[in-house]
Amino acid sequence: MSSTATSDANSVQEEPGRFTSGPAIVLYIAGAKLLLHLLTANRYGIFRDEMYYLACSQHMAWGYVDHPPLTVFIAWLARHVLGESLLALRFLPALAGAALVWLTGKLAREMGGGRFAQALAALAILPVPFYLILHHWLTNNAFEPLIWMACVWCVLRAINTGDERYWLWFGVLAGVGFENKYSIAFLLAGILAGVLLTPERRFLKSKYLWLGVAACFLIALPNFLWQMRNHFPFLELIHNIRMNHRDVVRGPIAFIADQAVTMQPILFPLWLGGLIWLFVAPGARRYRLLGWTFVVTLGLFIVVGGKNYYVAPVYPMLFAAGAVGFERVTSCRLPWARAVYVGLVVVAGAVLAPIFCPLLSPEAFIRYQKALHITVPQAEHQNNGPLPQYFADEFGWEPMVQQVARVYHSLTPEEQARTAIFSNGWGEAAAVDFFGPKYGLPRAISKHNQYWLWGPRNYTGEIMIILRSDGRGDRRHFESVQDVATVEHPYSRRDEWFHIWLCRGPKFNLQEVWPSLKLFD
């Protein structure tokens, strides 16, 4: 099908001008999102996961216990090209957020949306709590929605143009998605169901679709081989998390209800309308595959007990569909509804943005949250203190490392050479590795997740500075256990309040007992 025919099929109206066209407005909105995240990049401190990815970037590999390698590579790239400032680390995630806005506008255009639909679809990305939070950090979640929607765009292009080569690019992107986060398997299952349940099953005969499958497999293969060589630690991790009930598991009705809250309540009619439009509108029949994709993806996350925000990466396609449907419904009737709804989205976004984006000081945030009477839903069972977990995890790290440094430098140089800084959690170990060079500290060791695979290095346990422990177990394993410092920050998570123990005279050899210390959760 020619590009002209495609344009006719999509019913994309002629835009009034270069700087006021739909794509131009979408770019303005994308620029606003990028600016928001860049201006707030230094607002609080570094996030726990960011330090972990940076620690992993010192040990480049095709896999890690709790995540694939792509974000580690991005961390390595940011560190070596841009530096380790918060702005440098968070530039690429912010850029991914802006790209998601741009791509959502393109999805609306691909579905036949005109200027208003493209702008509304793009605007809908800005106030979503999940996107505001995740595009603020360097984590794999920052890139996940963009990769998912790039896959969806390839599907739409294949449908609209009949060009089967888009399935090859779909496979390439899906393979990259596996190297970013394994949850893309749920999107692929949804798209497969959509292909089977709609006339798009015709693509099953395409060699390009199967070449895409092969490309996906080959790109994901190095990480799969790493997991296999290491006895699939990720599966062990997931099993242990389920056994210790760390995550908040919601029932089907509560999980579905959560979607209206976690994706911003004012956007609920937009994405729900988009889902309905995909299934019932005659003009959307060719895109019904996407409706099934959402339903199946949502259903699978409910079945496996996933966190309520795991579905968030799939919503931009529903925003696009809803914007196109809304544009068509209001084209002749109720034109005022467009301005009213856009105004509501902007106002709701402005009111709730300080809850999910670090615009305020911690003190002002606490007052603002109390004034709005908003309680952020928890995804994990833990005591976060006065701030929600996503902000609490940006506080207290450097003061903790300062305390560790004070203890470490109280030792003689000969003792320091034999002293291991050991943490029961990877977060504290990553903080020591990140801030430690500034304070003259060696790299930390830990039994937790990827740190366990890196081993105890050359330490035997003769002298250990132990973090995140209540000291009871340490007293059983060492001749001398001293309570040498206390760590507590008013805004950090309460499980980050602990004593630092200086332990001597081990009743074990750390090299020998290390295999038994493994903790994957």
Side-chain angles (χ1 to χ4, degrees):
M1 186 182 294
S2 69
S3 59
T4 303
T6 302
S7 178
D8 292 342
N10 286 344
S11 303
V12 178
Q13 300 175 359
E14 193 70 30
E15 303 296 353
R18 182 177 180 183
F19 298 104
T20 57
S21 66
I25 295 173
V26 168
L27 285 176
Y28 302 149
I29 298 171
K33 181 170 175 64
L34 177 63
L35 186 63
L36 171 67
H37 290 297
L38 294 182
L39 290 176
T40 58
N42 293 306
R43 192 71 172 116
Y44 295 161
I46 192 165
F47 186 63
R48 176 192 302 261
D49 295 41
E50 291 176 308
M51 295 184 293
Y52 189 34
Y53 287 120
L54 287 170
C56 290
S57 73
Q58 301 285 345
H59 306 266
M60 297 296 286
W62 277 109
Y64 301 88
V65 169
D66 37 7
H67 53 263
L70 180 61
T71 308
V72 175
F73 171 73
I74 293 173
W76 180 92
L77 185 68
R79 163 180 257 159
H80 288 83
V81 175
L82 302 175
E84 291 189 357
S85 70
L86 291 179
L87 182 60
L89 293 176
R90 292 169 175 173
F91 174 73
L92 292 177
L95 194 61
L100 179 65
V101 171
W102 170 77
L103 186 54
T104 304
K106 285 186 67 68
L107 290 176
R109 183 178 177 85
E110 196 63 34
M111 293 184 201
R115 180 171 61 163
F116 174 77
Q118 294 169 48
L120 178 58
L123 181 66
I125 299 297
L126 265 64
V128 175
F130 178 82
Y131 304 146
L132 284 172
I133 295 168
L134 272 304
H135 290 132
H136 171 61
W137 301 320
L138 174 58
T139 71
N140 52 14
N141 291 308
F143 306 99
E144 184 182 28
L146 180 62
I147 294 172
W148 282 34
M149 289 306 101
C151 290
V152 168
W153 184 80
C154 287
V155 173
L156 281 176
R157 290 295 293 166
I159 292 172
N160 283 339
T161 66
D163 189 343
E164 298 171 352
R165 289 173 295 182
Y166 280 104
W167 285 105
L168 174 58
W169 290 112
F170 172 89
V172 170
L173 289 166
V176 173
F178 273 113
E179 296 289 5
N180 177 68
K181 196 173 178 184
Y182 303 125
S183 56
I184 196 171
F186 292 87
L187 174 71
L188 300 187
I191 289 177
L192 175 61
V195 168
L196 294 174
L197 293 170
T198 65
E200 311 318 318
R201 68 180 70 91
R202 62 193 169 91
F203 286 118
L204 293 174
K205 300 178 181 179
S206 169
K207 68 176 182 180
Y208 289 104
L209 186 147
W210 296 106
L211 285 173
V213 171
C216 177
F217 174 78
L218 290 174
I219 294 172
L221 183 60
N223 177 251
F224 176 80
L225 294 176
W226 184 93
Q227 286 283 338
M228 186 171 65
R229 283 198 306 271
N230 289 277
H231 311 292
F232 295 99
F234 184 77
L235 297 180
E236 182 178 345
L237 172 92
I238 294 300
H239 170 77
N240 292 342
I241 289 174
R242 290 187 179 280
M243 292 300 100
N244 65 25
H245 304 290
R246 185 197 73 183
D247 294 344
V248 175
V249 179
R250 308 283 278 167
I253 295 177
F255 190 95
I256 293 173
D258 281 352
Q259 303 307 304
V261 176
T262 59
M263 294 306 297
Q264 171 65 275
I266 198 65
L267 297 175
F268 172 67
L270 182 65
W271 65 257
L272 181 62
L275 181 62
I276 294 171
W277 181 77
L278 287 171
F279 278 112
V280 305
R285 187 170 301 158
R286 63 168 58 191
Y287 310 127
R288 193 162 297 169
L289 178 156
L290 300 185
W292 284 115
T293 296
F294 174 79
V295 170
V296 172
T297 302
L298 176 69
L300 288 175
F301 276 122
I302 293 174
V303 169
V304 302
K307 296 179 183 179
N308 54 18
Y309 66 81
Y310 283 0
V311 196
V314 82
Y315 280 95
M317 70 180 191
L318 293 188
F319 293 157
V324 174
F326 186 53
E327 180 182 61
R328 293 183 180 180
V329 168
T330 58
S331 59
C332 298
R333 299 170 295 172
L334 307 175
W336 53 268
R338 296 184 178 186
V340 169
Y341 188 67
V342 167
L344 289 173
V345 171
V346 171
V347 170
V351 170
L352 293 181
I355 300 295
F356 304 103
C357 191
L359 297 169
L360 306 174
S361 68
E363 299 83 2
F365 170 87
I366 294 169
R367 292 194 299 269
Y368 189 75
Q369 186 182 33
K370 288 181 178 178
L372 293 183
H373 301 286
I374 290 178
T375 301
V376 179
Q378 285 191 323
E380 298 178 1
H381 296 287
Q382 58 194 13
N383 185 355
N384 295 316
L387 299 178
Q389 180 267 330
Y390 49 85
F391 286 158
D393 261 339
E394 293 189 40
F395 288 93
W397 300 114
E398 187 166 9
M400 181 206 75
V401 175
Q402 289 172 340
Q403 292 280 49
V404 174
R406 182 180 63 80
V407 175
Y408 182 80
H409 291 297
S410 70
L411 305 174
T412 66
E414 189 274 335
E415 289 176 319
Q416 291 177 15
R418 309 195 313 272
T419 299
I421 302 173
F422 175 88
S423 173
N424 284 297
W426 57 256
E428 300 77 25
V432 170
D433 286 355
F434 182 75
F435 291 106
K438 178 179 177 180
Y439 296 99
L441 295 177
R443 293 194 177 279
I445 61 174
S446 174
K447 65 180 182 180
H448 197 194
N449 290 2
Q450 188 62 33
Y451 270 90
W452 178 82
L453 279 182
W454 296 333
R457 298 206 296 277
N458 61 341
Y459 296 116
T460 62
E462 184 177 348
I463 305 175
M464 296 181 69
I465 298 173
I466 296 184
L467 312 178
R468 198 164 180 172
S469 170
D470 59 13
R472 288 178 294 182
D474 304 318
R475 291 188 178 94
R476 294 197 302 268
H477 301 304
F478 292 90
E479 297 292 344
S480 171
V481 177
Q482 296 176 265
D483 184 351
V484 289
T486 300
V487 175
E488 56 180 54
H489 190 283
Y491 299 127
S492 67
R493 277 171 32 182
R494 291 305 181 252
D495 59 357
E496 293 301 333
W497 289 26
F498 54 80
H499 294 266
I500 296 176
W501 307 93
L502 178 60
C503 303
R504 304 171 189 264
K507 302 174 183 179
F508 59 87
N509 182 296
L510 189 59
Q511 300 288 328
E512 295 175 357
V513 303
W514 191 261
S516 66
L517 297 180
K518 180 176 67 172
L519 176 63
F520 290 172
D521 75 355

